[in-house]
Amino acid sequence: VFEGVNIRLFTKQFHESYMQEFDPPEMQTAPLEKLYVNVKHLSGKLPEYQISPTERRKRKPRELLQMTAQPPEVASIESSITVLDELGALTNASEDAELTVLGYLMMSVALDVHLCRLVIFGAMLGMPAEGIVIASALSVQDPFTLPSNLIIKDPRDYAEALKRSYETRNFFDH
């Protein structure tokens, strides 16, 4: 960090009144499912450590996550384990559960855990291409619902188009 000029697109009063000095750590705000799967896999590769003079064991994923500089909340870790168990990425909801094929797939694919499940079920049902296409389509924002600033160049026209788009969404469920 060094001295310089900071240009913000809001007033100093707004910044001092409403903005936090720092964003919360991503580990405390983002879903932990993918991270937990990776830590689970890596924890099996770590060497054992001495707990007591007579006991040695490997560190559990929960322990490793709690050792980070800004650890996630325990409830978030528990929630992640539950979601992974329900999706079938873990053999059960305990700390000693093993990763399933879906869990290993989640580590290798840059998709949300729910979309990873869609891809593997597509492959199991003999339609891998369809599963991948649907998962990739679901992983991005719908191009038909919001206007694009690549097409509407004028900022006022773009803001007006966004406003119209959100107003029409009120009638989607009727």
Side-chain angles (χ1 to χ4, degrees):
V1 178
F2 52 90
E3 288 189 33
V5 177
N6 185 359
I7 299 173
R8 296 190 173 104
L9 299 177
F10 42 83
T11 64
K12 184 175 181 176
Q13 178 187 4
F14 180 83
H15 181 275
E16 291 172 351
S17 299
Y18 299 105
M19 304 290 288
Q20 295 179 2
E21 186 174 357
F22 300 103
D23 289 338
E26 187 175 357
M27 193 178 285
Q28 294 177 356
T29 60
L32 294 177
E33 288 86 9
K34 292 278 283 198
L35 179 64
Y36 186 85
V37 168
N38 287 316
V39 171
K40 178 82 173 157
H41 178 67
L42 292 174
S43 69
K45 296 183 175 194
L46 292 175
E48 292 182 345
Y49 75 102
Q50 194 81 31
I51 298 173
S52 67
T54 59
E55 185 181 1
R56 292 178 58 85
R57 70 172 172 86
K58 294 186 178 217
R59 292 198 187 272
K60 308 250 182 215
R62 186 176 296 136
E63 289 177 279
L64 293 171
L65 287 170
Q66 291 300 315
M67 291 170 65
T68 59
Q70 296 169 323
E73 295 179 16
V74 176
S76 297
I77 297 172
E78 293 295 329
S79 172
S80 299
I81 294 170
T82 302
V83 167
L84 290 168
D85 178 44
E86 290 172 357
L87 289 175
L90 298 173
T91 53
N92 58 47
S94 75
E95 188 76 22
D96 298 323
E98 298 293 323
L99 288 174
T100 63
V101 173
L102 180 61
Y104 285 105
L105 177 70
M106 286 178 183
M107 286 190 319
S108 61
V109 178
L111 283 174
D112 178 64
V113 291
H114 294 88
L115 298 178
C116 287
R117 186 174 182 190
L118 174 64
V119 170
I120 199 167
F121 275 109
M124 288 172 52
L125 296 172
M127 299 179 286
E130 289 84 352
I132 292 169
V133 167
I134 293 170
S136 62
L138 290 172
S139 69
V140 296
Q141 182 179 1
D142 184 2
F144 302 107
T145 58
L146 290 178
S148 171
N149 61 350
L150 299 173
I151 297 170
I152 304 172
K153 299 293 184 191
D154 182 38
R156 288 185 180 162
D157 291 342
Y158 178 65
E160 201 49 49
L162 276 174
K163 182 179 174 188
R164 278 194 312 274
S165 174
Y166 284 119
E167 287 173 350
T168 58
R169 289 169 186 250
N170 292 333
F171 303 107
F172 279 176
D173 292 337
H174 296 294

